[in-house]
Amino acid sequence: MTKINKVIKTHTSTRNACKLCAPLGASMVLKGIEQAMPILHGSQGCATYIRRYVIGHFREPFDIASSSFTEETTVFGGGENLMRAIENIITQYNPEIIGIATTCLAETIGEDIQLHLAALAGKKADLPTIVHVSTPSYKGTHMDGFFAAVKTLVRKFAVKGTRINKVAVFPGMLSPQDYRYIKQMLFDFQLPSVVIPDFSDTLDGGSWQDYQKIPPGGTAIDDLKDCGRCCGAIEFGLSISEDQSSAEYLSKSYGMPSYKMPIPIGIENSDEFFSTLCTISGHPVPDKYSMARMRLIDAYVDGHKYAAGKSVALYGEEDLVCALASFMSEIGMTVSVCISGCKPESLRKAMEKRVPAVAASARILEDADFEDLLNAIEESPVDLIIGNSKGYTVSRKLSVPLVRVGFPIHDRLGAQRFSLVGYEGTTELFDRIINAIIEKKQESSDIGYLTW
Amino acid sequence: MKMTDIDILSDRKRQINKAGTEGLAMECEKHSLAGAVSQRACVFCGSRVVLYPVTDALHLIHGPIGCAAYTWDIRGALSSGPQLHRMSFSTDLREMDVIHGGENKLYKSLIELIDKYNPKAAFVYSTCVVGVIGDDVASVCARVKREKGIPVIAVHSEGFKGSKKDGYKAACDALLNLVGTLPVDTIPRLSVNILGDFNIAGESWIIKNYYEKMGIRVVSTITGDARVKDIMQAHGASLNIVQCSGSMTWLAQQMESNYGIPYIRASYFGIEDTAKALYDVADFFDDPELTDRARKLVRCEVEKVIPQIKRYSEALRGKKAAVYVGGAFKAFSLIKSLRMLNMDTVVVGSQTGNKSDYEVLKAMCNKGTIIVDDANTLELARFILEKDVDLFIGGVKERPIAYKLGVGFCDHNHERKIALAGFEGMVNFSREVFNTVTSPVWKFVPRRQTKKEVYFD
Ligand code: SF4
Ligand code: SF4
């Protein structure tokens, strides 16, 4: 069978996009910084839509301000509006950091944010720290916005100095639960860390006595400053280009070793993470993780027959798809289709690096949408689909079960608590996958066996 | 600082008012204030909301991907047939398109989509970027219309050109391109159009069913479960019944002046308003038999639902509610419905109300009720705390504000999946409110705790 691996665009318009826009990624990063507040420079709609979308997933407050362009603003420039927005944000929220992300509109009319900020600084003393991330969505997806925001913060805050026993970690767009678990792992290696961003509390917090204007938690400014003096930088994501990579930036400008690795999903990916932690910390793997690893292997063994030979379609952010593909190949499932709305070559290159055999055999479609996913599965049928809630229509249409992973998950409860990473996250995901296969088998059997 | 001490932004002070205070004119219908974290979206949002339920039309969003991605299949507008409206199509403009213009991409997209999906009409929504790069969307639409022989309509919905309300008008203008384009000889005198219901969770079906039981033909539902063909014949009806006045009054007015069709306002939320709507329509046709049928229908339905509602309303006596919804007209009905549940509305606001709407609200509510236009998160949180409400009625964006503070929540927005209109809708609504307000979970919520657990001090 010849596999068509090249992206052959069959249609001009995007039909049910498998990506989101750049300011969303940037806003998520800012939500993981202590006492930070995002402003989208552009019209009101973008900010409100993004808020609504993210709230549907995390079920937490997610305030984003907008500079609320009007027609005049669009013609004469957004300086006035941006200043007004900043002043109003200070009055209402009093943040320590304001992050400005420029929407497509502001980018198109060529807003000069530095100029606006200089004008504001001349008028008003005591401003919070203001950072600007350029996030035109016609140039990239939500992941581009995410990486750009992280890097902007690192560039802005990192300071040189004597090395400290801390590691800078850039986990990417994972769940708050994953973030908590990553921090736990670092802690157990006695490795103080700076996690950037850190929305483990801000996007999955408790019930409140009084309303919190900006939810407590997030990476502290002092920690951001520290990341220039860290003894290492870990970044999850093989697709991250050199100019997007914060770890590589730190390594180049501040001379620390950087470790760019896949998201630690599956045993091999997690092993890589753990061996890196051993290298940096000088400590062996704590017992509890060796035990967790053994339990995961035990789970693999228990479930391997259900997984054997099952084919799967994966979609979502390029690095998530790549890590999942590696995990799939560990458990004997065949990856038939990989789809991402990412820019061409970024998913493929990551997969070639990490899972060359899968990269050679699977259909990899980049800059693709859910119509492409539907067509691909219709051509090469699969037993299981893994990705965010947006694949539900395809799953329903083709009667193929969907295991919900990634962002957004708005039709199930608990997206903020689903975990994927490390041996334990993988175990949880593995169980969900096998159970989905069993459930499908059970439901579609004439008799409806109870198997054990 | 306590939340109740939060200062309202000075530029917004006049958009907040209290019932029982004299002379203070409410400011409204303004562009959202920069930096105020408004709950409302943009012009595009308004037109998308209105046109979304036209099920057999193609909805193509011209711009970068976000505007289309965020509006993909998030609403509960059901269809009894085609599902095309639930797809999210976008020209997904890229850098080169922004530089060189997106007209070619738009043209190609339209041709391909029409060939593949066979829609009965196409709506092309212009978003912000298109508004500044100057694509001639109208001429592309005209060309495709010529080539494909279906209506291809440009919706002027650039986000920055106003507020959500201006989007409603843009949508009505788009619909006016369809109305009046098919012959109507077979339509009887006892006939109406239902305007401004979007068939969320099947609500248009409930309402349509009432009219049909009364012996009235519903020519078109605009736009809940709408078909292009029906809209093209809408001018054959004798009366337009307008719910959600904010979105559809413009269309009704235009149809009145173009085709001489009068309109009345209606609401189907709550027993009182639903019954009134049916009686008003019967009165309009001035036909004793029709009035009789309406009376019988109402009596029969009310008898069915009252005992069910009573169970809930007993338990809800004296509870306090905050209402923040899109249109003010819906707020009127909600206040009445809540009253039927023995509840008091102590905060009420809307995204798009006008001066007279707010006057009505002021008159309807008890003294001291907070009335607000275009609110934001912090204001809403402050009002919840200040009035110590038991229930918040709003949309997805408002939900976490309520939940974080240990307050029950009812989704009354376009994304709800439960029918809240009509008599049976009132039962659903009562159950929703009851389930959330009387849930035992609140007793664990810190703000609701009367005595502190020693271990967690
Ligand atoms: S780009 Fe414009 S039209 Fe699109 S969501 Fe933003 S404000 Fe609305
Ligand atoms: S205009 Fe750009 S930033 Fe705004 S919603 Fe659309 S894609 Fe996103």
Side-chain angles (χ1 to χ4, degrees):
Chain A
M1 186 169 57
T2 49
K3 290 273 179 190
I4 314 154
N5 276 333
K6 265 274 154 255
V7 195
I8 301 169
K9 265 274 148 219
T10 53
H11 49 271
T12 309
S13 73
T14 296
R15 304 173 180 180
N16 296 345
C18 186
K19 62 176 174 184
L20 294 159
C21 73
L24 181 141
S27 306
M28 279 202 45
V29 170
L30 287 158
K31 284 290 153 188
I33 305 300
E34 194 170 65
Q35 289 302 309
M37 186 69 196
I39 297 181
L40 298 195
H41 190 42
S43 326
Q44 181 65 48
C46 313
T48 308
Y49 273 132
I50 290 173
R51 286 180 61 209
R52 187 241 149 254
Y53 208 82
V54 179
I55 288 171
H57 176 89
F58 291 102
R59 297 168 191 260
E60 291 283 318
F62 196 96
D63 286 6
I64 305 175
S66 167
S67 53
S68 304
F69 273 38
T70 58
E71 193 138 25
E72 297 83 74
T73 323
T74 308
V75 177
F76 299 113
E80 276 295 312
N81 276 54
L82 185 62
M83 256 181 242
R84 176 102 50 93
I86 290 173
E87 280 168 16
N88 283 335
I89 284 300
I90 295 170
T91 313
Q92 286 189 107
Y93 291 84
N94 196 22
E96 280 174 36
I97 301 180
I98 289 177
I100 302 166
T102 27
T103 66
C104 304
L105 176 60
E107 293 278 345
T108 307
I109 63 173
E111 281 290 284
D112 187 340
I113 302 295
Q114 292 320 320
L115 196 77
H116 294 331
L117 291 182
L120 181 65
K123 269 203 200 159
K124 204 170 150 75
D126 303 336
L127 285 169
T129 311
I130 301 178
V131 293
H132 167 231
V133 199
S134 165
T135 45
S137 298
Y138 48 76
K139 278 196 205 171
T141 69
H142 56 302
M143 289 320 290
D144 296 293
F146 192 102
F147 298 138
V150 173
K151 192 164 169 197
T152 302
L153 288 162
V154 169
R155 291 180 75 128
K156 175 91 184 178
F157 288 102
V159 286
K160 276 207 171 74
T162 24
R163 286 262 168 277
I164 49 172
N165 177 34
K166 260 188 178 181
V167 57
V169 186
F170 304 100
M173 221 161 109
L174 297 169
S175 74
Q177 174 64 32
D178 280 332
Y179 268 81
R180 283 192 287 270
Y181 190 50
I182 290 164
K183 289 199 292 184
Q184 181 66 47
M185 292 188 271
L186 292 157
F187 179 84
D188 291 334
F189 269 92
Q190 298 166 44
L191 201 54
S193 61
V194 182
V195 179
I196 307 171
D198 177 7
F199 39 70
S200 57
D201 292 329
T202 52
L203 293 181
D204 191 15
S207 184
W208 294 338
Q209 187 82 41
D210 196 7
Y211 198 79
Q212 308 290 315
K213 290 181 282 175
I214 301 177
T219 316
I221 297 190
D222 282 344
D223 279 337
L224 284 171
K225 289 182 183 155
D226 272 355
C227 74
R229 308 194 289 143
C230 283
C231 57
I234 299 177
E235 186 169 58
F236 296 161
L238 299 177
S239 78
I240 307 173
S241 67
E242 203 185 310
D243 60 301
Q244 285 181 319
S245 167
S246 294
E248 281 177 57
Y249 167 78
L250 284 177
S251 157
K252 252 205 214 121
S253 313
Y254 297 85
M256 67 196 69
S258 77
Y259 308 87
K260 204 157 143 188
M261 60 182 70
I263 304 171
I265 303 173
I267 292 182
E268 286 173 1
N269 288 344
S270 299
D271 284 354
E272 184 171 341
F273 177 51
F274 275 88
S275 73
T276 306
L277 295 185
C278 293
T279 311
I280 302 176
S281 70
H283 293 295
V285 176
D287 278 353
K288 78 185 221 201
Y289 296 103
S290 315
M291 291 293 293
R293 188 175 187 275
M294 288 200 294
R295 278 194 297 273
L296 175 57
I297 295 169
D298 200 49
Y300 275 14
V301 173
D302 290 341
H304 75 280
K305 279 209 227 168
Y306 299 102
K310 292 279 187 297
S311 58
V312 61
L314 310 169
Y315 62 85
E317 288 90 33
E318 51 269 51
D319 285 305
L320 179 64
V321 170
C322 178
L324 289 170
S326 144
F327 165 49
M328 291 294 109
S329 61
E330 284 178 0
I331 61 174
M333 289 176 69
T334 311
V335 180
S336 308
V337 179
C338 290
I339 284 188
S340 178
C342 65
K343 54 184 166 294
E345 296 300 301
S346 89
L347 172 60
R348 165 171 305 283
K349 283 206 178 116
M351 287 185 63
E352 276 165 359
K353 242 183 268 172
R354 188 66 210 170
V355 275
V358 183
S361 65
R363 291 183 75 167
I364 301 170
L365 301 183
E366 295 160 309
D367 194 6
D369 55 30
F370 281 93
E371 189 82 348
D372 293 316
L373 180 71
L374 180 72
N375 295 338
I377 301 180
E378 273 175 342
E379 277 172 41
S380 9
V382 296
D383 301 298
L384 192 69
I385 303 175
I386 303 180
N388 57 53
S389 288
K390 289 300 183 186
Y392 172 67
T393 40
V394 174
S395 149
R396 185 178 159 101
K397 193 162 189 178
L398 302 175
S399 298
V400 179
L402 168 68
V403 173
R404 284 165 176 78
V405 160
F407 178 92
I409 299 174
H410 50 58
D411 59 345
R412 286 291 182 275
L413 199 64
Q416 63 280 53
R417 299 180 288 273
F418 287 171
S419 51
L420 303 172
V421 305
Y423 305 120
E424 287 174 14
T426 305
T427 310
E428 190 186 309
L429 177 61
F430 180 75
D431 289 342
R432 282 169 59 205
I433 288 170
I434 300 300
N435 286 334
I437 294 171
I438 293 176
E439 191 176 315
K440 169 83 182 171
K441 195 174 172 184
Q442 195 173 24
E443 295 284 297
S444 54
S445 110
D446 294 339
I447 314 161
Y449 284 113
L450 288 171
T451 50
W452 54 81
Chain B
M1 179 162 65
K2 292 226 28 110
M3 194 65 204
T4 32
D5 302 332
I6 289 292
D7 251 351
I8 304 295
L9 291 171
S10 56
D11 286 339
R12 282 201 31 81
K13 282 202 168 124
R14 298 191 52 208
Q15 284 170 274
I16 298 162
N17 217 317
K18 268 190 180 158
T21 47
E22 294 282 312
L24 255 176
M26 185 88 173
E27 231 177 48
C28 52
E29 298 185 277
K30 296 203 324 186
H31 203 89
S32 292
L33 180 62
V37 194
S38 167
Q39 301 296 99
R40 71 183 178 196
C42 58
V43 179
F44 164 67
C45 171
S47 23
R48 189 78 179 110
V49 161
V50 169
L51 296 175
Y52 181 92
V54 182
T55 59
D56 56 355
L58 178 82
H59 300 267
L60 175 61
I61 296 161
H62 189 32
I65 197 62
C67 328
Y70 301 128
T71 48
W72 172 22
D73 205 20
I74 52 172
R75 307 183 58 221
L78 300 185
S79 165
S80 55
Q83 302 288 340
L84 190 55
H85 66 300
R86 296 176 57 196
M87 292 279 288
S88 167
F89 298 113
S90 168
T91 47
D92 190 2
L93 295 182
R94 306 298 166 85
E95 194 168 16
M96 283 303 129
D97 305 318
V98 172
I99 296 167
H100 300 297
E103 287 174 24
N104 274 335
K105 198 170 189 185
L106 174 61
Y107 171 77
K108 266 189 87 180
S109 298
L110 275 169
I111 297 288
E112 286 172 14
L113 291 168
I114 291 169
D115 285 344
K116 164 138 190 170
Y117 295 96
N118 258 315
K120 297 291 184 286
F123 295 108
V124 178
Y125 303 77
S126 294
T127 60
C128 289
V129 169
V130 171
V132 294
I133 63 175
D135 277 1
D136 189 348
V137 176
S139 83
V140 176
C141 289
R143 181 173 163 205
V144 177
K145 179 182 171 173
R146 268 197 315 274
E147 289 174 22
K148 292 290 163 191
I150 59 165
V152 180
I153 301 162
V155 187
H156 302 288
S157 54
E158 294 86 349
F160 57 79
K161 288 201 167 153
S163 78
K164 193 171 166 186
K165 216 170 178 169
D166 302 288
Y168 292 153
K169 184 166 174 295
C172 290
D173 286 336
L175 288 166
L176 281 165
N177 280 294
L178 292 175
V179 174
T181 51
L182 274 185
V184 290
D185 352 309
T186 56
I187 294 172
R189 190 184 73 91
L190 282 189
S191 61
V192 299
N193 296 312
I194 297 175
L195 267 55
D197 187 276
F198 304 123
N199 203 31
I200 310 297
E203 289 173 345
S204 303
W205 299 331
I206 295 178
I207 299 159
K208 198 173 165 185
N209 179 38
Y210 296 151
Y211 289 122
E212 281 170 358
K213 271 190 184 157
M214 284 164 61
I216 294 172
R217 161 102 168 264
V218 176
V219 179
S220 70
T221 44
I222 303 179
T223 50
D225 193 19
R227 300 293 182 282
V228 169
K229 178 170 167 282
D230 298 338
I231 300 172
M232 292 168 129
Q233 291 184 314
H235 60 299
S238 307
L239 175 68
N240 279 335
I241 313 168
V242 184
Q243 168 165 270
C244 192
S245 55
S247 69
M248 280 289 168
T249 306
W250 174 250
L251 180 67
Q253 283 168 347
Q254 293 310 105
M255 285 177 74
E256 181 162 43
S257 61
N258 296 351
Y259 306 101
I261 306 172
Y263 69 93
I264 56 171
R265 278 161 64 147
S267 165
Y268 306 100
F269 294 116
I271 305 251
E272 225 176 293
D273 285 356
T274 306
K276 182 172 186 310
L278 302 184
Y279 290 142
D280 285 352
V281 171
D283 284 351
F284 169 83
F285 285 108
D286 196 16
D287 173 338
E289 274 177 48
L290 183 64
T291 308
D292 200 44
R293 287 199 292 274
R295 215 173 270 135
K296 276 198 186 117
L297 175 85
V298 170
R299 190 181 313 126
C300 164
E301 296 290 332
V302 169
E303 272 170 12
K304 262 194 282 183
V305 300
I306 287 288
Q308 303 180 58
I309 294 169
K310 211 162 178 168
R311 220 190 99 208
Y312 303 120
S313 60
E314 290 303 324
L316 292 168
R317 185 174 301 280
K319 302 281 187 193
K320 288 177 283 182
V323 172
Y324 187 72
V325 287
F329 216 58
K330 184 151 91 182
F332 304 160
S333 296
L334 280 170
I335 293 169
K336 291 185 220 163
S337 299
L338 287 163
R339 233 169 242 164
M340 182 160 228
L341 296 177
N342 297 319
M343 292 178 72
D344 191 15
T345 305
V346 290
V347 179
V348 59
S350 95
Q351 289 178 18
T352 55
N354 62 29
K355 276 215 161 63
S356 64
D357 293 333
Y358 288 117
E359 286 309 315
V360 175
L361 279 178
K362 264 176 101 168
M364 274 180 86
C365 293
N366 289 338
K367 195 165 173 243
T369 295
I370 296 170
I371 296 168
V372 58
D373 175 63
D374 186 17
N376 60 46
T377 321
L378 295 187
E379 288 166 10
L380 292 172
R382 175 187 151 156
F383 301 148
I384 287 177
L385 291 168
E386 193 175 312
K387 292 289 180 181
D388 194 18
V389 303
D390 305 282
L391 172 72
F392 193 102
I393 300 183
V396 173
K397 287 190 302 295
E398 285 82 52
R399 183 177 59 201
I401 310 172
Y403 282 177
K404 280 286 166 198
L405 296 173
V407 169
F409 176 77
C410 172
D411 187 352
H412 211 301
N413 216 320
H414 291 289
E415 293 167 41
R416 65 183 181 271
K417 303 291 183 291
I418 300 166
L420 302 175
F423 301 105
E424 50 265 64
M426 183 63 194
V427 178
N428 294 341
F429 175 68
S430 314
R431 191 185 310 114
E432 278 279 290
V433 171
F434 171 84
N435 284 348
T436 188
V437 169
T438 64
S439 169
V441 301
W442 304 127
K443 72 170 182 258
F444 300 107
V445 165
R447 203 176 73 83
R448 294 289 179 198
Q449 216 122 54
T450 40
K451 96 179 162 288
K452 276 220 180 109
E453 289 291 341
V454 278
Y455 325 104
F456 296 105
D457 252 6

